[in-house]
Amino acid sequence: MAAGGSYSIVEYFGGDGGYRCGYCKHENGNFSHGMWSHTMTVQDYQDLIDRGWRRSGKYVYKPLMNKTCCPQYTIRCHALNFHPSKTHKKTLKKVNRFLSKGEMPVERHDEGLEGEPMDSAHEAGVQPPCQDPLKIDHSEVQDISTSPDTDTTNSTAPTTPREDAVPAPAEKTPNVTPKSGKGADPSRPLCQKAKDMRKERRLQKEQQKQQEAESSSVNPVPSKSSSNQPKSLEEFITESLPNDPLHRLEVRLVPVSFEDPDFLASYEHSAALYTRYQTTVHGDSPYECGESEFKRFLCDSPLEAETAPDGPDVGYGSFHQQYWLDGRIVAVGVLDILPSCVSSVYLYYHPEFSSLSLGTYSALREIAFTRQLQQQSPKLAYYYLGFYVHSCPKMRYKGQYRPSDLLCPETYTWVSIERCIPRLEISAYSRLSENAQGGDACALKELGRVLVLHRRTVMPYAAYARKRKGSNDEKEVEQYASLVGQTCAEKILLYRA
């Protein structure tokens, strides 16, 4: 339950049948379990994705890893320790050349990297439940810790093994190399002395820092790197950009809320861009990617917007990170900002700019954004890229954002991708953890303590089972609780009709 007293509420759908795979196109090789999330706290979703779950709209699903044709491993990048590769640097320079001089490359570097299927294939046939279980009678909430059928020992919150966060580097504004001139320009001000110019630059830096402190800008601030250290990601993003570039790129973060004026003002433009992207890049028919599908998949989020004293200034929840080029949206990254990470949901962009490798560019900007948020919220130190699918060659690009970890599907601990790849070369499915004795620390132990919502009343499953004598849903509830784990099962409400 969230600090504000709200619960996450889900309806479990199971998922024993096979469906078409979006990676290898196998007609019935994709196996996953799913549930509809009516509402969800950001901490509960953080705990779920740390157990291999992922959302598409309000539908949350978990691949059946040892059975599905293309096992999908949750992958996270250590944002603070990230250094761009040679390919990443080329992408950033390519975008900056376009912004500075208008140079549009002909070749495409994102061939095969357009992104993963937007959802688990069988989700398309899932419709929102008809009943609304959101209204809870709090006067009838039964305390699980005092239930006669359950243990009174309170469970502790899960701790996912991870490395300690590295302190964020100090800030610095970029050095811009002056262009060679062609003599005095009567339209420009008279030359200033070097001392006066330095004073003016210092004043501009102070004003810029004040503006950045007052706004929730997602534009990266270059981090300071000494002469014997490689350039930071932020420096590469802003490198070589003149004060008056030919094209102006602005990155805006807007909350996914129809009550937000910025989100509403750009909604139609954003939906049209999504349709154009899906039809051109993925070959969808227009009726498969219209406004209703856009809203359902990329705007309807179960996550509750939250703020916390130790959280980022923009708060937690679902957001659209919009890339505005010369006054129009050319790309949108759909993000979830969670207590420990920025989670990438989807990206769509104008096909006209596909040669700029916007998939790679946006991921680098999102890593820089994660680093920026970490300065405000120290525990928010990871960038989640969704699923890594080693058996699908075009999906291996996600492993290039290093250092990164994959989630072991049996112990739910994180393992360095360098140690995982040799195992995945041998078998598409692998228990990634090398600890033979290790197990699931949050494995289901007490079914009776699973929280359910029945007739607007919250109660442990043990009390529910007594009320519903002869109920035959124990196996289904046990399957659900095993997948979400004991800790989540005692916080999230499983709706029972």
Side-chain angles (χ1 to χ4, degrees):
M1 186 170 68
S6 58
Y7 285 97
S8 299
I9 302 175
V10 300
E11 286 189 60
Y12 181 62
F13 291 159
D16 296 323
Y19 302 87
R20 187 175 189 273
C21 177
Y23 302 104
C24 70
K25 311 306 179 186
H26 191 295
E27 283 303 320
N28 55 0
N30 178 20
F31 291 86
S32 66
H33 296 279
M35 56 189 182
W36 189 269
S37 178
H38 292 275
T39 182
M40 184 165 287
T41 68
V42 291
Q43 185 59 60
D44 286 343
Y45 186 55
Q46 176 74 66
D47 294 341
L48 285 176
I49 63 173
D50 285 338
R51 289 185 64 84
W53 293 81
R54 181 164 166 77
R55 79 172 185 88
S56 173
K58 291 189 173 184
Y59 184 76
V60 188
Y61 62 100
K62 174 179 167 59
L64 190 55
M65 296 289 284
N66 60 356
K67 190 175 181 181
T68 193
C69 54
C70 296
Q72 302 151 59
Y73 298 87
T74 300
I75 181 171
R76 71 176 187 182
C77 170
H78 295 249
L80 302 186
N81 299 329
F82 173 80
H83 292 287
S85 67
K86 190 175 293 185
T87 301
H88 296 151
K89 294 173 187 176
K90 286 181 179 178
T91 297
L92 293 173
K93 289 178 180 178
K94 178 169 57 176
V95 172
N96 286 349
R97 282 197 303 271
F98 168 74
L99 296 176
S100 302
K101 306 174 184 178
E103 294 181 8
M104 178 70 81
V106 177
E107 74 280 4
R108 288 190 60 181
H109 290 284
D110 270 354
E111 283 292 348
L113 309 187
E114 292 89 352
E116 60 193 296
M118 188 163 51
D119 49 33
S120 180
H122 66 282
E123 191 277 340
V126 175
Q127 296 297 324
C130 298
Q131 296 181 336
D132 181 10
L134 295 183
K135 296 180 180 179
I136 300 175
D137 187 349
H138 289 276
S139 65
E140 297 188 33
V141 174
Q142 299 187 19
D143 187 355
I144 187 172
S145 64
T146 60
S147 172
D149 296 89
T150 58
D151 192 345
T152 57
T153 305
N154 290 327
S155 60
T156 58
T159 56
T160 306
R162 64 172 226 178
E163 295 182 5
D164 292 331
V166 178
E171 297 180 347
K172 177 185 174 185
T173 53
N175 292 323
V176 179
T177 305
K179 297 180 180 178
S180 56
K182 296 183 180 179
D185 184 346
S187 66
R188 296 192 176 187
L190 296 175
C191 294
Q192 295 173 290
K193 290 184 178 180
K195 186 176 181 181
D196 294 334
M197 292 175 69
R198 286 197 297 271
K199 284 183 178 179
E200 185 174 329
R201 281 200 296 268
R202 279 200 299 271
L203 180 60
Q204 289 175 345
K205 287 180 183 179
E206 291 174 2
Q207 292 174 341
Q208 181 180 353
K209 286 183 178 180
Q210 287 179 350
Q211 292 173 352
E212 288 168 350
E214 293 170 358
S215 67
S216 59
S217 170
V218 296
N219 293 315
V221 179
S223 55
K224 187 178 293 183
S225 60
S226 60
S227 58
N228 61 346
Q229 290 182 334
K231 288 181 180 179
S232 69
L233 170 62
E234 291 79 0
E235 287 176 303
F236 276 109
I237 289 175
T238 56
E239 186 181 41
S240 304
L241 280 178
N243 292 328
D244 55 345
L246 183 63
H247 298 290
R248 293 195 175 273
L249 178 67
E250 181 186 359
V251 183
R252 303 178 189 174
L253 186 74
V254 297
V256 179
S257 169
F258 287 94
E259 297 178 359
D260 182 83
D262 292 329
F263 179 78
L264 274 178
S266 59
Y267 177 78
E268 288 187 9
H269 190 174
S270 189
L273 178 63
Y274 163 76
T275 299
R276 185 162 189 173
Y277 170 79
Q278 291 294 133
T279 54
T280 304
V281 176
H282 288 288
D284 290 356
S285 60
Y287 76 87
E288 292 178 302
C289 53
E291 187 269 339
S292 61
E293 285 73 22
F294 168 72
K295 178 178 180 295
R296 179 181 174 193
F297 289 123
L298 300 179
C299 300
D300 288 346
S301 170
L303 300 185
E304 296 180 0
E306 297 180 26
T307 57
D310 59 345
D313 294 342
V314 296
Y316 300 117
S318 298
F319 297 83
H320 282 188
Q321 187 159 288
Q322 302 172 339
Y323 296 80
W324 289 74
L325 181 67
D326 300 332
R328 65 165 175 155
I329 301 177
V330 296
V332 177
V334 184
L335 306 174
D336 291 332
I337 300 179
L338 305 174
S340 300
C341 74
V342 170
S343 175
S344 175
V345 178
Y346 201 60
L347 171 80
Y348 55 97
Y349 55 82
H350 199 299
E352 179 183 328
F353 301 97
S354 60
S355 61
L356 292 177
S357 304
L358 293 181
T360 300
Y361 181 75
S362 64
L364 296 172
R365 291 294 299 245
E366 288 167 8
I367 292 173
F369 179 47
T370 305
R371 289 152 67 115
Q372 180 182 332
L373 295 181
Q374 193 276 337
Q375 295 180 25
Q376 304 166 3
S377 182
K379 64 181 180 179
L380 204 163
Y382 296 96
Y383 173 61
Y384 284 46
L385 295 94
F387 288 138
Y388 173 82
V389 188
H390 193 76
S391 59
C392 182
K394 76 172 186 177
M395 296 305 297
R396 294 183 184 180
Y397 74 95
K398 293 187 179 185
Q400 298 172 4
Y401 299 88
R402 299 191 181 186
S404 58
D405 307 317
L406 299 185
L407 186 68
C408 174
E410 296 182 15
T411 64
Y412 300 110
T413 55
W414 295 98
V415 183
S416 169
I417 194 170
E418 288 86 355
R419 289 159 50 196
C420 297
I421 288 178
R423 293 171 177 262
L424 297 176
E425 288 288 347
I426 298 172
S427 172
Y429 172 77
S430 173
R431 173 193 166 98
L432 301 177
S433 174
E434 297 172 353
N435 180 4
Q437 305 301 319
D440 179 5
C442 294
L444 177 65
K445 296 181 176 65
E446 297 181 67
L447 183 63
R449 295 178 64 86
V450 174
L451 278 190
V452 302
L453 176 63
H454 176 58
R455 293 183 178 177
R456 297 172 53 194
T457 303
V458 179
M459 65 186 73
Y461 181 71
Y464 166 80
R466 286 199 309 270
K467 284 189 174 185
R468 300 274 293 181
K469 291 181 181 179
S471 175
N472 59 355
D473 65 352
E474 181 175 332
K475 194 171 183 180
E476 177 185 314
V477 174
E478 183 176 3
Q479 184 183 64
Y480 152 81
S482 298
L483 293 169
V484 302
Q486 185 76 44
T487 302
C488 285
E490 293 185 23
K491 296 190 301 175
I492 299 174
L493 302 186
L494 176 64
Y495 177 68
R496 301 281 86 188

